[in-house]
Every structure is written in C-alpha cells, then in structure tokens.
Amino acid sequence: MKLNTICVQGGYTPGNGEPRQIPIVQSTTFKYSTSEDMGKLFDLEASGYFYTRLQNPTNDYVAAKIAELEGGTAAMLTSSGQAANFFALFNICSCGDHIVSSSSIYGGTFNLIDVTMRKMGIEATFVAPDCTEEELAAAFRPNTKAVFGETIANPALTVLDIEKFAKAAHDHGVPLIVDNTFATPVNCRPIEWGADIVTHSTTKYMDGHGACVGGAIVDSGKFDWMAHADKFPGLCTPDESYHGVTYAEKFGQAGAFITKCTVQLMRDLGCIQAPQHAFILNLGLESLHVRMARHCENAQAVAEFLQSHPNVTWVTYPGLPGDKYHEQAKKYLPGGSCGVVSFGVKGGRKAAETFMKHLKLAAIETHVADARTCCLHPASSTHRQMNDEQLVAAGVSPDLVRLSCGLEDKEDLIADLRQALDQV
Ligand SMILES: Cc1ncc(COP(=O)(O)O)c(C=O)c1O
C-alpha cells in the first residue's frame, strides 16, 4: 500500500463484525485458563499478552502501523520520545560501551547521552554532522556499539547525511539509529537510506495535536546481529532471565531487537505508552500525510516571508534555496521537510522579546509540531539564565526564534508575524 493509505488503514484490519476503529484494551492484565498456557508466554514459547507493562493490543496495532510507515519489520511504543531513544540505545549498549552521535540533536537527547548514559558507564563521542568520512571514522572505538543522529535536527534544522552515517556505522559493524521525529515517514524513510533502527517522539507530528506524550522504536530487520555477535552479546548469547533464549537465533533478524527491547527493557524499566494514548496517537496518524503537506506549505511560505522582512537578519529552513542544507534536503526530503523555521530578529535579545510580546496567533510554548502555531525565544525562556556569550557557545544565538508552523491559513500566520515584526 501507498503511504497515504497506510496512515489511514495500516496496522489493524478488523474481522467480520469487529470494531472498525482500533479497540482500546483498557486492561492491565489478561486471563488464562491454565498456568501452563501462561507459562508458555513467560518462556517466550507462545506470543500473547499477560501484563500491559510489557505489551498491550492497542499499542501493538499502532506500533504495527508505524512499522509499516517506516518500512520496518517490527515496532513498539514507549511512554515518550526520550524513552524511545534511551531504549533503542540501551538495548545494545551497556556499561563499558561507546556511542558515536551527531552533535546536532535535540537537547534532551544530548543530555540523555552525554550526562545520564555517561553515568551508566556508556561513553559517547559527538561529531559535527558535516564532518568528513575520515573524521567520522576516527570517532569509532573497538567498543562502539551504535551511531545516532536526527533526520532533521531539533532545533538546528540540520539535515543528516544518512547514507554517510550509515556507511560509517556498517563499516564498523554497528547499526545506525535515526530519530525521524521532525521529518516523519511521510517526508523521509531513513531505512531506505541505510538506517537500521528508527525512533520517534510521537508527541510531535505523529500525534500532531499536542495531546499525548509518546515515543516509538522501529526495527528495519536489516542488521545482521549474528554477524557481529561479539559486539552484541545481549542479542546473541542466552538470556538466563528467559531460560536461555538467544534473541537473534529465536526471533531472527526481523524480530530480535524489538522482542528483546519489549520482554527485557519494558519488563524491567516499564516505560510503556498507555493504551488510551496509543488510541489518540492513531487518530493523529490517520491524518499525518494530509497534515505534513500543510505544515510544510505553511513553513515554506512563512520562511520566504521572513527572508524578505527588514527586521529579520537570517532564516534557517531546509526548503529555502540557499539554505546550508537545501541540497541535502532535496535528496533526503524531496516532498518537504517539516513545519519548523528558525530565524533571527534584528536587534538581538531585546528585539526578539519585543517581537514575542506582540504575537497574537502564534502561542509561546516549548512545544513544536502541533496543529497550532507555536513559537519560542530560547534566550528569554528555556535558556534565560545564560548571557549572550554563553548562548552563542551553546549554539543558540540571542536573537534566535524557533517557530513551529501549524495548520492555520498561511496568510493569517504571515499577518501575525508581520505585525509583531513591525513593532521591533
Ligand atoms: C527530535 C526529538 N527527539 C526526541 C524528543 C523527546 O521526545 P519526548 O518529549 O516525547 O520525550 C524530542 C522532543 O522535543 C525531539 O524533538
């Protein structure tokens, strides 16, 4: 099926007389006739549900849709995007291991890798997304277990050269994990460019209505864990907590990664998405293809308007000819990139504050990728404790405004931006 059809109908096919919409299985637990029946689930001899901390049918319908959208073999939902990235990395990295990551990633993920995972004994080397192949190769160590990047980085709007990162990862016998939150599978399917695992903050465009925090992990099924068994003992040697099951043998390339992540990490860490949230996420997915086109159309018009306004000093949007990542966007994101635009207000921090104060339609929020346009001036909100020099060092200029274009009429958005810029 085409992507548009998968958005609407993927993941769930009701049988005769069954509900048309996916059922919300609002149950923590599942009933069995005999202990032997349930025992088979605990031995991973049979598939089925026993406790919603690990798996729930509603979540699995939605995960199956996301797997289809990304062209993967298996997927799972998590309680947040943070949990998705942590689980994807921690499923193959443990104390003493090392990760290579693009330095241009969401701040929360940077903290996760650079602070929290470091405390767990997992080291990381950050590389500039535009580094040469030689520089990228130099970042690897014998204990490197994964490479990480974002298709379109939040908030820098860097477009990842997925093929370059995938090649480096595969040359070193490890998978490439790509966070595809901003692009969504409507605009880019990283697996087609060589990514092995794809993650999402479904909180963003997939939900699209600012209703539910959530995440997803998709496995391409393409990475041959057994060919690199020495690097991935968690997948390639027996798990004694499941009576000696070896995931890569029992579930094969297509299923090993998500099965281990579900039955081991979800069992022990329990960051499951609530079935109610999975249901709401699915409502968002049903219109993802329609919404992404409008988000991109609005962002393109807004970016072009901003470029022409005398009170705007610079605009970053991959859809703009002349943008640093325009050529890369044409390759990886030919149908559009995302709805987020960054720009600088002439006059720096004070001028940007004045601009923000006069916005009427665009709401001030830390959120992005919502149906409603929202806007953030980091220097006066999330990063307000930093002086101008510290901001520049953190890669956030004092004049930077991040605008997430929603689904309103683009003429209304431009009129709102124009009247606020005219006050500066
Ligand atoms: C690209 C990206 N990945 C992951 C996350 C974390 O997702 P969540 O807020 O759902 O935990 C975010 C949040 O903004 C994000 O932008």
Side-chain angles (χ1 to χ4, degrees), residues 82 86 89 98-99 101-103 105-127 141 148:
Q82 285 297 107
F86 175 61
L89 288 164
H98 174 254
I99 296 163
S101 173
S102 164
S103 58
I105 53 173
Y106 167 60
T109 312
F110 187 86
N111 279 340
L112 166 69
I113 296 174
D114 197 45
V115 181
T116 300
M117 293 187 74
R118 221 178 265 283
K119 281 185 199 157
M120 301 169 86
I122 300 166
E123 294 283 315
T125 300
F126 292 93
V127 291
R141 301 180 189 167
F148 183 86

PDB file of all heavy atoms in Angstrom, residues 82 86 89 98-99 101-103 105-127 141 148:
ATOM      1  N   GLN A  82      11.853  10.418  24.697  1.00  0.00           N
ATOM      2  CA  GLN A  82      13.069  10.183  25.484  1.00  0.00           C
ATOM      3  C   GLN A  82      13.248   8.692  25.745  1.00  0.00           C
ATOM      4  O   GLN A  82      14.351   8.157  25.627  1.00  0.00           O
ATOM      5  CB  GLN A  82      12.997  10.923  26.825  1.00  0.00           C
ATOM      6  CG  GLN A  82      13.203  12.412  26.730  1.00  0.00           C
ATOM      7  CD  GLN A  82      14.585  12.782  26.225  1.00  0.00           C
ATOM      8  OE1 GLN A  82      14.726  13.222  25.086  1.00  0.00           O
ATOM      9  NE2 GLN A  82      15.600  12.613  27.026  1.00  0.00           N
ATOM     10  N   PHE A  86      16.299   6.237  24.573  1.00  0.00           N
ATOM     11  CA  PHE A  86      17.051   5.513  25.595  1.00  0.00           C
ATOM     12  C   PHE A  86      16.965   4.000  25.369  1.00  0.00           C
ATOM     13  O   PHE A  86      17.976   3.297  25.377  1.00  0.00           O
ATOM     14  CB  PHE A  86      16.553   5.869  27.003  1.00  0.00           C
ATOM     15  CG  PHE A  86      17.227   5.051  28.066  1.00  0.00           C
ATOM     16  CD1 PHE A  86      18.607   5.124  28.237  1.00  0.00           C
ATOM     17  CD2 PHE A  86      16.504   4.169  28.858  1.00  0.00           C
ATOM     18  CE1 PHE A  86      19.251   4.343  29.189  1.00  0.00           C
ATOM     19  CE2 PHE A  86      17.139   3.389  29.815  1.00  0.00           C
ATOM     20  CZ  PHE A  86      18.514   3.477  29.976  1.00  0.00           C
ATOM     21  N   LEU A  89      19.001   2.743  22.346  1.00  0.00           N
ATOM     22  CA  LEU A  89      20.456   2.687  22.595  1.00  0.00           C
ATOM     23  C   LEU A  89      20.794   1.635  23.645  1.00  0.00           C
ATOM     24  O   LEU A  89      21.721   0.832  23.470  1.00  0.00           O
ATOM     25  CB  LEU A  89      20.949   4.064  23.066  1.00  0.00           C
ATOM     26  CG  LEU A  89      20.993   5.153  21.986  1.00  0.00           C
ATOM     27  CD1 LEU A  89      21.111   6.537  22.605  1.00  0.00           C
ATOM     28  CD2 LEU A  89      22.145   4.901  21.006  1.00  0.00           C
ATOM     29  N   HIS A  98      30.352   2.314  23.968  1.00  0.00           N
ATOM     30  CA  HIS A  98      30.574   3.660  23.419  1.00  0.00           C
ATOM     31  C   HIS A  98      29.609   3.906  22.258  1.00  0.00           C
ATOM     32  O   HIS A  98      29.273   2.978  21.518  1.00  0.00           O
ATOM     33  CB  HIS A  98      32.042   3.739  22.931  1.00  0.00           C
ATOM     34  CG  HIS A  98      32.394   4.986  22.218  1.00  0.00           C
ATOM     35  ND1 HIS A  98      32.576   5.034  20.847  1.00  0.00           N
ATOM     36  CD2 HIS A  98      32.614   6.243  22.663  1.00  0.00           C
ATOM     37  CE1 HIS A  98      32.908   6.267  20.490  1.00  0.00           C
ATOM     38  NE2 HIS A  98      32.939   7.028  21.576  1.00  0.00           N
ATOM     39  N   ILE A  99      29.170   5.169  22.142  1.00  0.00           N
ATOM     40  CA  ILE A  99      28.234   5.579  21.078  1.00  0.00           C
ATOM     41  C   ILE A  99      28.882   6.708  20.286  1.00  0.00           C
ATOM     42  O   ILE A  99      29.524   7.587  20.868  1.00  0.00           O
ATOM     43  CB  ILE A  99      26.919   6.113  21.702  1.00  0.00           C
ATOM     44  CG1 ILE A  99      26.184   5.020  22.484  1.00  0.00           C
ATOM     45  CG2 ILE A  99      26.002   6.731  20.659  1.00  0.00           C
ATOM     46  CD1 ILE A  99      25.133   5.580  23.440  1.00  0.00           C
ATOM     47  N   SER A 101      27.686   9.870  18.050  1.00  0.00           N
ATOM     48  CA  SER A 101      26.447  10.594  17.763  1.00  0.00           C
ATOM     49  C   SER A 101      26.736  11.897  17.036  1.00  0.00           C
ATOM     50  O   SER A 101      27.748  12.560  17.299  1.00  0.00           O
ATOM     51  CB  SER A 101      25.708  10.897  19.066  1.00  0.00           C
ATOM     52  OG  SER A 101      24.592  11.738  18.818  1.00  0.00           O
ATOM     53  N   SER A 102      25.815  12.267  16.166  1.00  0.00           N
ATOM     54  CA  SER A 102      25.865  13.610  15.587  1.00  0.00           C
ATOM     55  C   SER A 102      25.727  14.597  16.749  1.00  0.00           C
ATOM     56  O   SER A 102      24.957  14.356  17.688  1.00  0.00           O
ATOM     57  CB  SER A 102      24.707  13.788  14.605  1.00  0.00           C
ATOM     58  OG  SER A 102      24.527  15.168  14.334  1.00  0.00           O
ATOM     59  N   SER A 103      26.449  15.711  16.674  1.00  0.00           N
ATOM     60  CA  SER A 103      26.343  16.706  17.751  1.00  0.00           C
ATOM     61  C   SER A 103      25.088  17.552  17.578  1.00  0.00           C
ATOM     62  O   SER A 103      24.647  18.212  18.505  1.00  0.00           O
ATOM     63  CB  SER A 103      27.581  17.608  17.748  1.00  0.00           C
ATOM     64  OG  SER A 103      27.690  18.234  16.488  1.00  0.00           O
ATOM     65  N   ILE A 105      21.680  17.442  17.651  1.00  0.00           N
ATOM     66  CA  ILE A 105      20.500  16.661  18.043  1.00  0.00           C
ATOM     67  C   ILE A 105      19.715  17.460  19.087  1.00  0.00           C
ATOM     68  O   ILE A 105      20.214  18.438  19.638  1.00  0.00           O
ATOM     69  CB  ILE A 105      20.872  15.258  18.601  1.00  0.00           C
ATOM     70  CG1 ILE A 105      21.896  15.373  19.743  1.00  0.00           C
ATOM     71  CG2 ILE A 105      21.363  14.348  17.497  1.00  0.00           C
ATOM     72  CD1 ILE A 105      22.188  14.049  20.451  1.00  0.00           C
ATOM     73  N   TYR A 106      18.517  17.005  19.382  1.00  0.00           N
ATOM     74  CA  TYR A 106      17.656  17.622  20.398  1.00  0.00           C
ATOM     75  C   TYR A 106      18.395  17.665  21.748  1.00  0.00           C
ATOM     76  O   TYR A 106      19.055  16.681  22.127  1.00  0.00           O
ATOM     77  CB  TYR A 106      16.373  16.789  20.488  1.00  0.00           C
ATOM     78  CG  TYR A 106      15.500  17.091  21.675  1.00  0.00           C
ATOM     79  CD1 TYR A 106      14.965  18.364  21.866  1.00  0.00           C
ATOM     80  CD2 TYR A 106      15.179  16.099  22.591  1.00  0.00           C
ATOM     81  CE1 TYR A 106      14.151  18.637  22.957  1.00  0.00           C
ATOM     82  CE2 TYR A 106      14.360  16.360  23.681  1.00  0.00           C
ATOM     83  CZ  TYR A 106      13.858  17.636  23.854  1.00  0.00           C
ATOM     84  OH  TYR A 106      13.057  17.902  24.934  1.00  0.00           O
ATOM     85  N   GLY A 107      18.275  18.800  22.465  1.00  0.00           N
ATOM     86  CA  GLY A 107      18.998  18.986  23.721  1.00  0.00           C
ATOM     87  C   GLY A 107      18.713  17.898  24.741  1.00  0.00           C
ATOM     88  O   GLY A 107      19.607  17.475  25.488  1.00  0.00           O
ATOM     89  N   GLY A 108      17.475  17.427  24.792  1.00  0.00           N
ATOM     90  CA  GLY A 108      17.106  16.372  25.749  1.00  0.00           C
ATOM     91  C   GLY A 108      17.842  15.068  25.433  1.00  0.00           C
ATOM     92  O   GLY A 108      18.252  14.332  26.346  1.00  0.00           O
ATOM     93  N   THR A 109      18.001  14.777  24.150  1.00  0.00           N
ATOM     94  CA  THR A 109      18.710  13.554  23.759  1.00  0.00           C
ATOM     95  C   THR A 109      20.205  13.720  24.022  1.00  0.00           C
ATOM     96  O   THR A 109      20.884  12.776  24.440  1.00  0.00           O
ATOM     97  CB  THR A 109      18.456  13.235  22.267  1.00  0.00           C
ATOM     98  OG1 THR A 109      17.056  13.339  22.018  1.00  0.00           O
ATOM     99  CG2 THR A 109      18.944  11.854  21.914  1.00  0.00           C
ATOM    100  N   PHE A 110      20.702  14.946  23.795  1.00  0.00           N
ATOM    101  CA  PHE A 110      22.113  15.219  24.086  1.00  0.00           C
ATOM    102  C   PHE A 110      22.385  14.967  25.574  1.00  0.00           C
ATOM    103  O   PHE A 110      23.344  14.278  25.937  1.00  0.00           O
ATOM    104  CB  PHE A 110      22.454  16.662  23.691  1.00  0.00           C
ATOM    105  CG  PHE A 110      23.917  16.974  23.809  1.00  0.00           C
ATOM    106  CD1 PHE A 110      24.782  16.685  22.765  1.00  0.00           C
ATOM    107  CD2 PHE A 110      24.438  17.508  24.974  1.00  0.00           C
ATOM    108  CE1 PHE A 110      26.140  16.948  22.871  1.00  0.00           C
ATOM    109  CE2 PHE A 110      25.797  17.771  25.093  1.00  0.00           C
ATOM    110  CZ  PHE A 110      26.651  17.494  24.034  1.00  0.00           C
ATOM    111  N   ASN A 111      21.514  15.484  26.445  1.00  0.00           N
ATOM    112  CA  ASN A 111      21.673  15.245  27.888  1.00  0.00           C
ATOM    113  C   ASN A 111      21.601  13.767  28.223  1.00  0.00           C
ATOM    114  O   ASN A 111      22.367  13.257  29.034  1.00  0.00           O
ATOM    115  CB  ASN A 111      20.577  15.970  28.675  1.00  0.00           C
ATOM    116  CG  ASN A 111      20.896  17.427  28.864  1.00  0.00           C
ATOM    117  OD1 ASN A 111      22.049  17.842  28.761  1.00  0.00           O
ATOM    118  ND2 ASN A 111      19.878  18.220  29.113  1.00  0.00           N
ATOM    119  N   LEU A 112      20.630  13.089  27.597  1.00  0.00           N
ATOM    120  CA  LEU A 112      20.470  11.648  27.852  1.00  0.00           C
ATOM    121  C   LEU A 112      21.782  10.919  27.571  1.00  0.00           C
ATOM    122  O   LEU A 112      22.257  10.107  28.390  1.00  0.00           O
ATOM    123  CB  LEU A 112      19.357  11.086  26.947  1.00  0.00           C
ATOM    124  CG  LEU A 112      19.258   9.570  26.835  1.00  0.00           C
ATOM    125  CD1 LEU A 112      18.776   8.961  28.149  1.00  0.00           C
ATOM    126  CD2 LEU A 112      18.332   9.151  25.695  1.00  0.00           C
ATOM    127  N   ILE A 113      22.386  11.220  26.401  1.00  0.00           N
ATOM    128  CA  ILE A 113      23.600  10.504  26.000  1.00  0.00           C
ATOM    129  C   ILE A 113      24.817  11.018  26.779  1.00  0.00           C
ATOM    130  O   ILE A 113      25.631  10.226  27.269  1.00  0.00           O
ATOM    131  CB  ILE A 113      23.831  10.649  24.472  1.00  0.00           C
ATOM    132  CG1 ILE A 113      22.684   9.981  23.692  1.00  0.00           C
ATOM    133  CG2 ILE A 113      25.178  10.057  24.060  1.00  0.00           C
ATOM    134  CD1 ILE A 113      22.745  10.189  22.183  1.00  0.00           C
ATOM    135  N   ASP A 114      24.906  12.354  26.900  1.00  0.00           N
ATOM    136  CA  ASP A 114      26.136  12.943  27.431  1.00  0.00           C
ATOM    137  C   ASP A 114      26.184  12.944  28.963  1.00  0.00           C
ATOM    138  O   ASP A 114      27.271  12.987  29.537  1.00  0.00           O
ATOM    139  CB  ASP A 114      26.286  14.378  26.912  1.00  0.00           C
ATOM    140  CG  ASP A 114      27.705  14.888  27.070  1.00  0.00           C
ATOM    141  OD1 ASP A 114      28.626  14.122  26.742  1.00  0.00           O
ATOM    142  OD2 ASP A 114      27.888  16.030  27.517  1.00  0.00           O
ATOM    143  N   VAL A 115      25.046  12.927  29.626  1.00  0.00           N
ATOM    144  CA  VAL A 115      25.042  13.002  31.091  1.00  0.00           C
ATOM    145  C   VAL A 115      24.574  11.674  31.694  1.00  0.00           C
ATOM    146  O   VAL A 115      25.333  10.970  32.363  1.00  0.00           O
ATOM    147  CB  VAL A 115      24.149  14.174  31.583  1.00  0.00           C
ATOM    148  CG1 VAL A 115      24.168  14.245  33.109  1.00  0.00           C
ATOM    149  CG2 VAL A 115      24.616  15.497  30.977  1.00  0.00           C
ATOM    150  N   THR A 116      23.332  11.310  31.403  1.00  0.00           N
ATOM    151  CA  THR A 116      22.747  10.157  32.101  1.00  0.00           C
ATOM    152  C   THR A 116      23.384   8.838  31.661  1.00  0.00           C
ATOM    153  O   THR A 116      23.750   8.000  32.494  1.00  0.00           O
ATOM    154  CB  THR A 116      21.226  10.143  31.893  1.00  0.00           C
ATOM    155  OG1 THR A 116      20.723  11.370  32.427  1.00  0.00           O
ATOM    156  CG2 THR A 116      20.559   8.983  32.610  1.00  0.00           C
ATOM    157  N   MET A 117      23.553   8.656  30.350  1.00  0.00           N
ATOM    158  CA  MET A 117      24.136   7.384  29.904  1.00  0.00           C
ATOM    159  C   MET A 117      25.621   7.314  30.260  1.00  0.00           C
ATOM    160  O   MET A 117      26.157   6.231  30.513  1.00  0.00           O
ATOM    161  CB  MET A 117      23.868   7.160  28.419  1.00  0.00           C
ATOM    162  CG  MET A 117      22.369   6.944  28.189  1.00  0.00           C
ATOM    163  SD  MET A 117      21.880   6.461  26.539  1.00  0.00           S
ATOM    164  CE  MET A 117      22.392   4.755  26.484  1.00  0.00           C
ATOM    165  N   ARG A 118      26.272   8.485  30.304  1.00  0.00           N
ATOM    166  CA  ARG A 118      27.673   8.508  30.750  1.00  0.00           C
ATOM    167  C   ARG A 118      27.774   8.009  32.198  1.00  0.00           C
ATOM    168  O   ARG A 118      28.689   7.273  32.552  1.00  0.00           O
ATOM    169  CB  ARG A 118      28.222   9.929  30.633  1.00  0.00           C
ATOM    170  CG  ARG A 118      29.627  10.009  30.106  1.00  0.00           C
ATOM    171  CD  ARG A 118      30.080  11.433  29.963  1.00  0.00           C
ATOM    172  NE  ARG A 118      29.894  11.995  28.640  1.00  0.00           N
ATOM    173  CZ  ARG A 118      30.690  11.729  27.597  1.00  0.00           C
ATOM    174  NH1 ARG A 118      31.700  10.910  27.714  1.00  0.00           N
ATOM    175  NH2 ARG A 118      30.475  12.283  26.427  1.00  0.00           N
ATOM    176  N   LYS A 119      26.779   8.425  33.036  1.00  0.00           N
ATOM    177  CA  LYS A 119      26.770   7.968  34.437  1.00  0.00           C
ATOM    178  C   LYS A 119      26.592   6.454  34.508  1.00  0.00           C
ATOM    179  O   LYS A 119      26.948   5.820  35.499  1.00  0.00           O
ATOM    180  CB  LYS A 119      25.607   8.628  35.195  1.00  0.00           C
ATOM    181  CG  LYS A 119      25.869  10.050  35.624  1.00  0.00           C
ATOM    182  CD  LYS A 119      24.705  10.539  36.467  1.00  0.00           C
ATOM    183  CE  LYS A 119      24.680  12.041  36.525  1.00  0.00           C
ATOM    184  NZ  LYS A 119      23.357  12.581  36.840  1.00  0.00           N
ATOM    185  N   MET A 120      25.983   5.901  33.473  1.00  0.00           N
ATOM    186  CA  MET A 120      25.773   4.450  33.446  1.00  0.00           C
ATOM    187  C   MET A 120      26.990   3.727  32.864  1.00  0.00           C
ATOM    188  O   MET A 120      26.945   2.521  32.634  1.00  0.00           O
ATOM    189  CB  MET A 120      24.532   4.132  32.606  1.00  0.00           C
ATOM    190  CG  MET A 120      23.280   4.788  33.137  1.00  0.00           C
ATOM    191  SD  MET A 120      21.907   4.679  31.977  1.00  0.00           S
ATOM    192  CE  MET A 120      21.267   3.093  32.405  1.00  0.00           C
ATOM    193  N   GLY A 121      28.044   4.497  32.569  1.00  0.00           N
ATOM    194  CA  GLY A 121      29.276   3.876  32.066  1.00  0.00           C
ATOM    195  C   GLY A 121      29.319   3.742  30.563  1.00  0.00           C
ATOM    196  O   GLY A 121      30.147   3.010  30.016  1.00  0.00           O
ATOM    197  N   ILE A 122      28.404   4.438  29.852  1.00  0.00           N
ATOM    198  CA  ILE A 122      28.395   4.384  28.383  1.00  0.00           C
ATOM    199  C   ILE A 122      28.953   5.719  27.878  1.00  0.00           C
ATOM    200  O   ILE A 122      28.370   6.771  28.112  1.00  0.00           O
ATOM    201  CB  ILE A 122      26.972   4.129  27.849  1.00  0.00           C
ATOM    202  CG1 ILE A 122      26.460   2.781  28.393  1.00  0.00           C
ATOM    203  CG2 ILE A 122      26.938   4.174  26.326  1.00  0.00           C
ATOM    204  CD1 ILE A 122      24.978   2.546  28.224  1.00  0.00           C
ATOM    205  N   GLU A 123      30.095   5.642  27.204  1.00  0.00           N
ATOM    206  CA  GLU A 123      30.769   6.852  26.721  1.00  0.00           C
ATOM    207  C   GLU A 123      30.184   7.269  25.373  1.00  0.00           C
ATOM    208  O   GLU A 123      29.574   6.444  24.672  1.00  0.00           O
ATOM    209  CB  GLU A 123      32.254   6.556  26.521  1.00  0.00           C
ATOM    210  CG  GLU A 123      32.995   6.248  27.800  1.00  0.00           C
ATOM    211  CD  GLU A 123      33.287   7.511  28.602  1.00  0.00           C
ATOM    212  OE1 GLU A 123      33.720   8.490  27.985  1.00  0.00           O
ATOM    213  OE2 GLU A 123      33.047   7.500  29.830  1.00  0.00           O
ATOM    214  N   ALA A 124      30.386   8.539  25.014  1.00  0.00           N
ATOM    215  CA  ALA A 124      29.910   8.999  23.708  1.00  0.00           C
ATOM    216  C   ALA A 124      30.914   9.952  23.087  1.00  0.00           C
ATOM    217  O   ALA A 124      31.587  10.699  23.799  1.00  0.00           O
ATOM    218  CB  ALA A 124      28.563   9.697  23.849  1.00  0.00           C
ATOM    219  N   THR A 125      31.008   9.894  21.759  1.00  0.00           N
ATOM    220  CA  THR A 125      31.779  10.889  21.015  1.00  0.00           C
ATOM    221  C   THR A 125      30.804  11.587  20.074  1.00  0.00           C
ATOM    222  O   THR A 125      30.066  10.921  19.334  1.00  0.00           O
ATOM    223  CB  THR A 125      32.901  10.212  20.185  1.00  0.00           C
ATOM    224  OG1 THR A 125      33.760   9.511  21.091  1.00  0.00           O
ATOM    225  CG2 THR A 125      33.704  11.225  19.391  1.00  0.00           C
ATOM    226  N   PHE A 126      30.772  12.926  20.163  1.00  0.00           N
ATOM    227  CA  PHE A 126      29.880  13.698  19.299  1.00  0.00           C
ATOM    228  C   PHE A 126      30.668  14.222  18.103  1.00  0.00           C
ATOM    229  O   PHE A 126      31.768  14.760  18.276  1.00  0.00           O
ATOM    230  CB  PHE A 126      29.248  14.851  20.087  1.00  0.00           C
ATOM    231  CG  PHE A 126      28.286  14.358  21.125  1.00  0.00           C
ATOM    232  CD1 PHE A 126      28.715  14.122  22.434  1.00  0.00           C
ATOM    233  CD2 PHE A 126      26.968  14.083  20.802  1.00  0.00           C
ATOM    234  CE1 PHE A 126      27.837  13.643  23.395  1.00  0.00           C
ATOM    235  CE2 PHE A 126      26.085  13.598  21.761  1.00  0.00           C
ATOM    236  CZ  PHE A 126      26.527  13.373  23.055  1.00  0.00           C
ATOM    237  N   VAL A 127      30.092  14.050  16.928  1.00  0.00           N
ATOM    238  CA  VAL A 127      30.765  14.515  15.704  1.00  0.00           C
ATOM    239  C   VAL A 127      29.878  15.538  15.013  1.00  0.00           C
ATOM    240  O   VAL A 127      28.643  15.439  15.052  1.00  0.00           O
ATOM    241  CB  VAL A 127      31.043  13.338  14.733  1.00  0.00           C
ATOM    242  CG1 VAL A 127      32.095  12.400  15.289  1.00  0.00           C
ATOM    243  CG2 VAL A 127      29.766  12.572  14.412  1.00  0.00           C
ATOM    244  N   ARG A 141      35.516   3.515  18.216  1.00  0.00           N
ATOM    245  CA  ARG A 141      36.440   2.780  19.086  1.00  0.00           C
ATOM    246  C   ARG A 141      36.082   1.292  18.992  1.00  0.00           C
ATOM    247  O   ARG A 141      34.980   0.949  18.529  1.00  0.00           O
ATOM    248  CB  ARG A 141      36.261   3.215  20.543  1.00  0.00           C
ATOM    249  CG  ARG A 141      36.506   4.700  20.775  1.00  0.00           C
ATOM    250  CD  ARG A 141      36.294   5.023  22.249  1.00  0.00           C
ATOM    251  NE  ARG A 141      36.296   6.453  22.499  1.00  0.00           N
ATOM    252  CZ  ARG A 141      35.886   6.994  23.636  1.00  0.00           C
ATOM    253  NH1 ARG A 141      35.444   6.230  24.632  1.00  0.00           N
ATOM    254  NH2 ARG A 141      35.924   8.290  23.804  1.00  0.00           N
ATOM    255  N   PHE A 148      24.269   7.439  16.162  1.00  0.00           N
ATOM    256  CA  PHE A 148      22.969   8.077  16.364  1.00  0.00           C
ATOM    257  C   PHE A 148      22.914   9.434  15.658  1.00  0.00           C
ATOM    258  O   PHE A 148      23.904  10.178  15.653  1.00  0.00           O
ATOM    259  CB  PHE A 148      22.718   8.277  17.870  1.00  0.00           C
ATOM    260  CG  PHE A 148      21.364   8.856  18.187  1.00  0.00           C
ATOM    261  CD1 PHE A 148      20.266   8.032  18.333  1.00  0.00           C
ATOM    262  CD2 PHE A 148      21.198  10.229  18.301  1.00  0.00           C
ATOM    263  CE1 PHE A 148      19.005   8.573  18.595  1.00  0.00           C
ATOM    264  CE2 PHE A 148      19.943  10.777  18.569  1.00  0.00           C
ATOM    265  CZ  PHE A 148      18.849   9.943  18.725  1.00  0.00           C
TER     266      PHE A 148
END
